[in-house]
Amino acid sequence: MSSPSSEIFRRGVQIQKRTLIAWSAALVLLALSVVGAWPSMEKSGALEDFASGVSPEMAAAFGIDQISSASGYLKGNLYAVLLPLLLGLMAVTATAALTGGDEEAGRLELLLALPVARRTVFLVRFLCVAFGLAVTSVLVWLSVYGSVVSFDMDVSGGGVAAVTLTVGLLAVLHAGVAYAVVGFGLGRGPALGVAAGVLVVGYLLHAIAPMSDSLEPLSNVSPWEWALGGDPLVNGVPWGGVAAGGPPPPPPGGGGGRCRVYARAYPGEASSSAEK
């Protein structure tokens, strides 16, 4: 006989099944279309001129500063903006719907009548959202990795796994923001507004703040910076400030903006290199 918590989890997954299928299919198709366009874009030579009319700062903000390389192409067209934004919106809307939305509509009354604490009901509903995000992230990772291998792109499988993991965790964090808003007694609307606002403001801080020396410290408070600031597609997931497999060598010469990005990702290595 199943426990009340497992029954709540099963019902939560069942409720979001159609939405989960739709989101997963859309994001997998997006990933396949992005990677599938790589061979023709590489052969045409259009990528070299794509960012030529954009300032280096703006190119870095949109993740297209190295778009002519395979890893830069994946980053600029999928992992820098589109996938984190869409996966974050999926997390926010699902969390708000399964918690505040169902409570406002009266659909939680039967679950709240079960012999289980109210906080357990809402916590299990949040775990349902995290489960859906995990399933979608795995499907996207399999799609990207399979396409990368098929097209013989110069991108490591570990890097694809690392950046997909960090993007998925970024989405879970924003789901947690929506969950916290509902936990304070606010409804679905405020949860959507606050969590979506945190998602957008976080991106703006991550993308725009590094353009100015005075605003650059603000990027450190952005969840996007925590997840993507160290370029996990190339460097892997940073554990304790050092990417798995070790940090890459610092960029030669001056490097300007690239040196600032490297310094933010690996402050110890950057300072020691400067001393040498």
Side-chain angles (χ1 to χ4, degrees), residues 127-154:
L127 293 178
C128 291
V129 176
F131 172 77
L133 291 171
V135 170
T136 303
S137 298
V138 169
L139 291 176
V140 171
W141 167 67
L142 290 174
S143 303
V144 174
Y145 179 69
S147 301
V148 163
V149 173
S150 299
F151 296 126
D152 195 24
M153 297 176 67
D154 187 19

Side-chain angles (χ1 to χ4, degrees), residues 17 22-23 26 42 47 54 59 95 99-100 130 150 155-156 172 183-184 189 194-195 197 204 216 219 222:
K17 181 172 65 175
W23 272 105
E42 183 188 26
L47 293 173
V54 183
T95 304
T99 53
S150 299
V155 180
S156 70
V172 172
F184 278 105
V194 173
L204 292 177
E216 186 177 0
S219 65
S222 168

Side-chain angles (χ1 to χ4, degrees), residues 4-276:
S5 296
S6 61
E7 181 65 18
I8 294 171
F9 182 84
R10 185 187 68 80
R11 292 187 182 184
V13 173
Q14 187 176 13
I15 288 172
Q16 66 170 350
K17 181 172 65 175
R18 291 184 179 179
T19 305
L20 177 60
I21 292 174
W23 272 105
S24 298
L27 293 180
V28 166
L29 287 175
L30 171 66
L32 290 176
S33 62
V34 167
V35 184
W38 163 255
S40 59
M41 297 289 286
E42 183 188 26
K43 291 179 181 178
S44 66
L47 293 173
E48 285 76 3
D49 302 327
F50 183 78
S52 59
V54 183
S55 66
E57 293 79 9
M58 289 298 297
F62 290 102
I64 59 174
D65 48 331
Q66 299 177 10
I67 199 168
S68 59
S69 66
S71 59
Y73 174 83
L74 272 183
K75 176 184 174 183
N77 287 284
L78 187 63
Y79 286 109
V81 182
L82 272 180
L83 187 60
L85 184 62
L86 293 175
L87 205 59
L89 289 176
M90 171 188 171
V92 168
T93 54
T95 304
L98 284 180
T99 53
D102 274 6
E103 186 175 25
E104 291 176 355
R107 291 188 291 267
L108 279 181
E109 292 181 359
L110 180 60
L111 294 180
L112 295 176
L114 295 174
V116 62
R118 181 185 178 92
R119 62 178 177 272
T120 302
V121 174
F122 279 86
L123 178 59
V124 173
R125 281 296 180 92
F126 178 74
L127 293 178
C128 291
V129 176
F131 172 77
L133 291 171
V135 170
T136 303
S137 298
V138 169
L139 291 176
V140 171
W141 167 67
L142 290 174
S143 303
V144 174
Y145 179 69
S147 301
V148 163
V149 173
S150 299
F151 296 126
D152 195 24
M153 297 176 67
D154 187 19
V155 180
S156 70
V160 174
V163 71
T164 307
L165 172 63
T166 56
V167 169
L169 292 176
L170 180 65
V172 172
L173 185 146
H174 288 95
V177 173
Y179 180 79
V181 173
V182 173
F184 278 105
L186 302 177
R188 178 182 181 180
L192 284 171
V194 173
V198 171
L199 179 67
V200 173
V201 172
Y203 168 70
L204 292 177
L205 290 176
H206 165 70
I208 297 177
M211 297 182 187
S212 169
D213 291 335
S214 58
L215 296 178
E216 186 177 0
L218 293 177
S219 65
N220 295 324
V221 304
S222 168
W224 290 65
E225 181 70 17
W226 308 339
L228 302 173
D231 198 0
L233 180 59
V234 175
N235 304 322
V237 180
W239 302 111
V242 178
R258 290 188 184 180
C259 288
R260 287 209 307 269
V261 172
Y262 182 88
R264 291 203 309 273
Y266 308 104
E269 294 288 331
S271 61
S272 62
S273 299
E275 291 174 0
K276 293 178 181 179

